[in-house]
Amino acid sequence: MIKLVLISIVSMYAHALFAQTAISGKVTDKTGSPIEGANIYIEGSYDGGSSNENGEFSFTTSLTAQQTITASFLSFETFTKTMPVSKMNALTIVLREDVNSLESVVLTAGNFAAGDNSKASVLSPLDIVTTAGAAGDYIGAFQTLPGTSNVGEDGRLFVRGGTADETNVYIDDIKVFQPYNASASNLPTRGRFSPFLFKGTNFSTGGFSAEYGDALSGVLLLNTIDTPDQDKTEISLINVGAGIGHTKKWKKNSLSINTFYLNLKPYQDIVPQRVDWIKAPESFSGEAVYRQQFKNGLLKVYSALSDTNFELTQEDINIAEGIRFKLRNKNFYSNTSYTGTLETDWKLTTGASFALDKNRIGIEETKVHNETQSFHLKLKLKKRFSNRFQWFTGVEQFIEKFDETVDDPNFPFFTSDFKNTSTALYTEANVFFSKKFAMKLGLRGVHNYSLNYTKVSPRASLAYQLNTTSQISLAYGDFNQAPKQDILKYSSQLAPEKASHFIFNYLYQKKGRMLRLEGYYKTYDNLIKYTTAQPEYSSLYSNDGEGYAGGIDVLWKDKKSLKNFEYWISYSYLNTQRDYKNFERSATPNFAATHTASLVGKYWIQDWKSMVGASLNLASGRPYDNPNTKKFQAEKTKGFSALNLNWAYLISQQKILYISVSNALGTPATFGYQYANTPNSNGTFERRAIQPAADRFFIVGFFWTISTDKKDNQLDRL
Amino acid sequence: MKTVILILVSFTVNMLTAQTHYDEGMKKAFELWESDKADEAANLFERIANAEDQHWLPYYYAAQINIIQTYRTKDAAAIEARLKKAQKFINHANLISKDNAELFILEAMLNTAYVVYNPSNYGMTHSPKVEALYQQAKSLDSMNPRAILNHAEWKMGSAKYFGTDPKQYCPEINKAIALFENIENKTPYYPTWGLNQVARIQKNCDE
């Protein structure tokens, strides 16, 4: 008996030893070129081999019957096939390129990606915050990119002949309703949020995805950090204020709190101002982010609170003693988002934001109180069918409620209000035909209940890779935007404004150098017109306006040619005319300069432990209307130029001294003119130049980070 | 009774062959690696890892080879692809062996590779990760010489960048050397590398 068993055992092993099947074949790519180093094996076993320089492989296996053979290689999709082992000889395995690899084509038309995860990244996270002249304002860094206009008296983003209202801002894909701080007219504002909360940004100057709507020109997408790296406390002392922040990290969740107090009074006492301040701008702001990691998803809750007030006498050509203007703004914003995976290859993104914005404005004896409540709810589902085909669809709801009371001693008490409610549906497909050729097709439909309209807008883009260093892309899209608050409070019988974009983009990238050329043409329809100088109750409103904008944007970036030095040059040519507001005919608006250029450089000086930066902003003259001539909007201001410098010195790894000066040379700037309403005794209209509050702006700051590893610092915030 | 013995014998034989199979595979992979066929070795480690579901070491070495190989090329696409792949291996290994200091050290090395290959893009985002990962590794295994040594090298690098004295971390290297000498191997094929890197890192202390 034992003998028998032993024999059978031995024979079993012998069988196993001798019954080896030889497996062989060749691995190639689509064009038939051999792939060296691919891993070919029978799934679940050790049996396998690597392909040689001719793509050939051979190995043996003791397995029999049906098995799965797998072939995998970097930057290619993994190949699997189930078949009888006996048939696995002289196989030809063709691997498909993995379209998610770094070498693949990217849809770049209209888009500036910034961050660590994008293949066509134009700005690194550090660039955004170390650009001279930006002074820690992320908006300032984007203003050095082509396609934007430098509107010094406003500070907001003006994209390709569009007004600042035509660009929307999103945090974690949820809308931000008041992205800019409250400001008086002709005084520049800045971004409301502190840049250090964001890990990446995407700035689109046209042709953007169907996921975003109600914007005619562009979108700025800010993404908050998923997981902070460690516990830390950050202290900042600046000549205009002070701040403190703290981040606490637990195993699955984390909390960051950041507060800042700003008061320009001491600064303005030292540096003379053109503006007659009664009460210098003072503000308190606080932000908090809570993040919670779940098994299959991530929840983020972001809240920001700010309280700003100031009072000044605004110069006015019609009133010798000026106009007293007083403002107190309180803003609360909260944004909750959740991203998670459902079943295989399904991804769910949902979120909501709420904003409450309250203004108490005093203009001489007139008191204006207004309150805006805004709400955005969003749900998006994304399905990944394969590496090559992805599709998403979503629905979103917007509600905006506005109330205003005007109390003027000379007029009866006046109230206005409106509600703007809309629902949008969108869907988009991303298709990679190959690693070289990709397409995106989207559709967005919106129904506005308050203005009673339904609009459907298509979006499309294509990208084709010419060779390993260059590619071209094309984009087309229709964009609709509901009238804004200043109009809606007087009229609700209007249609949305409309723009169509046609974009052609060429991108060249090689080893730290990048050239990006983009040509575009944009048409505007249904622009809102009114019959008075400013939107008023008594104006007649219509959608009779129209316009166009065409131009060329050039960006050259180089961080390779000189060690520790990096620079970029951007140039925009803009040709635009529009008939809107109270324009008597189609003309180039005041915010649009024909030529805009920026030169930005940064140099890290190892021996001085210093990062020094400089930027030069140039723009040709901006048009204005001179009522003393018959021609409308026919004159131009002098060109604009400003040289900004900054210097960050690392006292130690966690202590930084920062000095910056904008417009170091003090080049005078004139943004436009205000003309008198009535001519003087000689029959001419007198004018007043609109100029910056001061020629230069200085910042001196000390930043101190206290963390367990004693390494982190706030260089990324400057 | 005989049947019982028989069953027992055949059971052990099975277990032994399974174990030897793993041994043979691992040995073969190390041989390939030593004979300068790193990618083939990585492929074999990957096959072993896929076939076994209890062993984190094949994943560890498959990841390690892919990380080390990035220093041999300048091709950004290849580097990104390798690091992505290595991260996948580390994630798998973490599922098999939880709170393993060696895996944290490896992940710190992976993030270091990102910083080295493209500092302006990854420096700001990945440097704090490297730091945090070494700290986690040390908190899990305070006597791990590789954690101490590599962390010291990393800190020396950033000290040089920020213009402070890298020599302040030299005592940590000596501490690591002492620990290397007293090491006992817990598991077959458990990582032992590190001592051979001391000479390079110690150069920072000689200047």
Side-chain angles (χ1 to χ4, degrees), chain A residues 23 79 229 237 268 300 393 418 439 454 487:
Chain A
I23 290 173
F79 167 94
D229 300 301
L237 296 168
Q268 289 173 351
K300 293 184 198 171
T393 186
F418 72 83
M439 184 178 75
T454 303
I487 308 286

Side-chain angles (χ1 to χ4, degrees), chain A residues 312-565:
Chain A
L312 74 162
T313 306
Q314 274 188 321
E315 232 187 296
D316 196 289
I317 191 74
N318 299 308
I319 301 157
E321 63 274 20
I323 300 169
R324 285 240 326 265
F325 182 87
K326 186 177 168 181
L327 179 128
R328 175 145 192 196
N329 169 271
K330 288 182 190 176
N331 185 278
F332 171 75
Y333 177 69
S334 120
N335 171 322
T336 304
S337 67
Y338 175 82
T339 307
T341 45
L342 301 172
E343 315 260 319
T344 39
D345 298 329
W346 279 95
K347 199 171 142 191
L348 168 87
T349 311
T350 183
S353 68
F354 171 74
L356 177 63
D357 191 61
K358 280 186 176 185
N359 289 300
R360 283 166 61 187
I361 302 163
I363 307 163
E364 290 295 326
E365 300 307 311
T366 310
K367 290 192 189 99
V368 179
H369 289 195
N370 64 37
E371 184 180 308
T372 314
Q373 290 177 48
S374 319
F375 179 74
H376 177 204
L377 178 71
K378 174 168 176 167
L379 178 76
K380 179 177 134 184
L381 273 171
K382 186 171 180 175
K383 164 84 175 162
R384 200 175 147 276
F385 289 95
S386 73
N387 263 346
R388 289 162 185 253
F389 182 63
Q390 284 157 33
W391 168 79
F392 69 76
T393 186
V395 58
E396 53 189 346
Q397 178 72 31
F398 296 92
I399 303 169
E400 191 186 3
K401 219 174 141 268
F402 175 84
D403 286 287
E404 185 172 76
T405 62
V406 181
D407 187 2
D408 186 317
N410 305 320
F411 293 97
F413 192 75
F414 184 80
T415 63
S416 57
D417 61 81
F418 72 83
K419 204 173 161 189
N420 182 8
T421 312
S422 61
T423 304
L425 284 167
Y426 55 87
T427 181
E428 197 163 272
N430 277 294
V431 192
F432 274 92
F433 298 105
S434 75
K435 216 167 168 175
K436 286 189 165 176
F437 184 31
M439 184 178 75
K440 192 152 93 173
L441 281 178
L443 198 65
R444 183 181 175 91
V446 62
H447 179 74
N448 190 308
Y449 304 93
S450 312
L451 299 173
N452 198 22
Y453 66 78
T454 303
K455 292 281 169 192
V456 176
S457 33
R459 315 275 165 95
S461 53
L462 281 174
Y464 182 74
Q465 200 172 50
L466 301 169
N467 52 45
T468 52
T469 52
S470 56
Q471 64 160 57
I472 48 171
S473 42
L474 290 167
Y476 167 80
D478 279 355
F479 304 85
N480 289 290
Q481 181 175 324
K484 292 286 172 187
Q485 181 179 304
D486 56 338
I487 308 286
L488 280 182
K489 63 185 183 189
Y490 303 120
S491 174
S492 60
Q493 303 299 315
L494 291 162
E497 299 181 310
K498 187 188 169 193
S500 298
H501 301 178
F502 304 85
I503 301 170
F504 175 79
N505 171 294
Y506 170 82
L507 182 72
Y508 168 87
Q509 274 174 303
K510 194 177 182 183
K511 290 184 180 153
R513 297 191 186 94
M514 168 190 269
L515 175 69
R516 185 182 183 279
L517 299 174
E518 194 159 288
Y520 63 90
Y521 188 76
K522 215 156 111 171
T523 58
Y524 283 100
D525 283 301
N526 299 339
L527 293 181
I528 288 162
K529 294 210 63 173
Y530 44 80
T531 48
T532 47
Q534 297 296 325
E536 277 175 24
Y537 182 69
S538 55
S539 299
L540 294 173
Y541 295 90
S542 75
N543 276 106
D544 295 340
E546 56 169 15
Y548 70 87
I552 296 165
D553 293 346
V554 182
L555 178 71
W556 167 254
K557 197 174 173 192
D558 182 353
K559 50 185 178 182
K560 189 84 185 170
S561 301
L562 289 164
K563 206 187 168 208
N564 291 335
F565 181 71

